[in-house]
Amino acid sequence: MKTLMLKIGTFFFKYRNQAFPLIIAALFISTPPTTTVLGSEALEAWKNSLALLVILIGLLLRATVIGYAYIKRGGLNKRVYANDLVTEGMFGVCRNPLYVGNMLVYSGLFLFHGSPMVVVVGCLLFAFIYQCIIYAEEEFLANKFGEGYSAYCRDVPRWGLKLSAFSSSTEGMAFNWKRVIAKDYSTMSSTLIAVLVTEFYRVAADSVADQDSSYAIVLAALLGIVVALTGLVSSLKKRGVFDKMTTAH
């Protein structure tokens, strides 16, 4: 089983940027988002609020990771690779803080959609895929860094957050918010787009009230603003505006 998971992890490490959006789109299209929970619009509103909170926590965790000690998760030639064993910043709190942040974001998106099938299948599937990716990374790191990595694993949890270590792990480090924007704007943008498109889908599937049309227009306008801002930041990045921001520590 571990051998199979390593192969799956290696595959998704290489192709996750293409595969993950397709998987999410397939899940979301398979069934309309919920409009009530147990027939209650109030419970639906609470559910959506909780989902948005989980998404926000995930994005804030990612921002904290990148702001203190960013490491490129793309590896080398889309294969698992690392020059150094990074144990500072949030990597002293959790061995995979970016993946924990991602799981929170994805779980929040699935919950926001609301379909029990989407929530259960989505959360379990992505948890399994990320565990496979982590196994592949751990095998590489163990082979390259040996006892140093073993000691790191004994001290820092794989999925949990050892918050008591945050102060010592970030001591002497400055939070670089410019690097957060430069490195994570696409994740923030895609998450906002997913939320807005899901809500638009919800309105379209349940357009019975007069105010739905005006609400749909607002959603469409917000979507246009997010897309425009994303394009602006992407353009600035291609022009090298963020080069100094991403290298500053």
Side-chain angles (χ1 to χ4, degrees):
M1 182 64 177
K2 182 72 174 288
T3 301
L4 176 60
M5 291 181 72
L6 286 171
K7 291 181 179 179
I8 294 173
T10 300
F11 173 84
F12 277 105
F13 184 90
K14 184 175 183 179
Y15 296 109
R16 66 187 184 275
N17 289 339
Q18 296 79 26
F20 284 8
L22 291 176
I23 293 172
I24 293 173
L27 285 171
F28 279 30
I29 293 173
S30 66
T31 179
T34 58
T35 55
T36 63
V37 173
L38 299 176
S40 170
E41 293 184 358
L43 286 178
E44 174 73 15
W46 278 103
K47 183 267 293 180
N48 289 340
S49 297
L50 175 61
L52 293 175
L53 177 61
V54 172
I55 291 171
L56 179 61
I57 292 173
L59 290 175
L60 288 175
L61 177 56
R62 282 185 56 87
T64 304
V65 176
I66 295 169
Y68 278 112
Y70 175 78
I71 64 172
K72 187 177 181 180
R73 278 291 188 178
L76 180 65
N77 297 323
K78 294 191 176 181
R79 294 180 180 274
V80 177
Y81 184 81
N83 280 323
D84 304 297
L85 180 61
V86 179
T87 61
E88 59 186 358
M90 284 300 293
F91 293 95
V93 176
C94 174
R95 295 191 334 244
N96 303 283
L98 284 174
Y99 292 163
V100 174
N102 290 349
M103 275 302 306
L104 287 170
V105 170
Y106 291 141
S107 298
L109 287 175
F110 297 142
L111 182 61
F112 188 74
H113 182 282
S115 166
M117 185 276 290
V118 170
V119 175
V120 173
V121 173
C123 289
L124 290 179
L125 179 59
F126 274 83
F128 174 75
I129 291 174
Y130 270 121
Q131 185 61 62
C132 291
I133 292 175
I134 287 171
Y135 277 161
E137 291 184 342
E138 287 178 345
E139 182 180 57
F140 172 86
L141 294 171
N143 290 333
K144 181 163 186 175
F145 298 109
E147 178 54 32
Y149 182 66
S150 297
Y152 173 59
C153 290
R154 288 193 294 269
D155 187 53
V156 180
R158 175 189 284 151
W159 282 104
L161 298 177
K162 188 180 177 182
L163 296 178
S164 60
F166 178 78
S167 179
S168 59
S169 296
T170 58
E171 185 176 0
M173 301 178 69
F175 183 83
N176 189 333
W177 63 268
K178 295 178 180 179
R179 183 168 60 215
V180 173
I181 297 174
K183 293 293 186 181
D184 214 35
Y185 77 93
S186 60
T187 298
M188 298 176 189
S189 170
S190 59
T191 301
L192 283 173
I193 289 173
V195 169
L196 291 171
V197 169
T198 301
E199 184 66 6
F200 192 89
Y201 186 11
R202 195 193 316 275
V203 171
D206 191 46
S207 56
V208 293
D210 292 337
Q211 67 265 27
D212 281 345
S213 59
S214 59
Y215 183 41
I217 292 173
V218 172
L219 291 173
L222 289 174
L223 183 60
I225 292 172
V226 172
V227 171
L229 288 175
T230 303
L232 175 61
V233 175
S234 177
S235 176
L236 291 174
K237 186 173 182 178
K238 289 179 180 178
R239 287 163 53 188
V241 173
F242 292 137
D243 286 350
K244 292 183 179 180
M245 295 181 183
T246 59
T247 55
H249 197 72

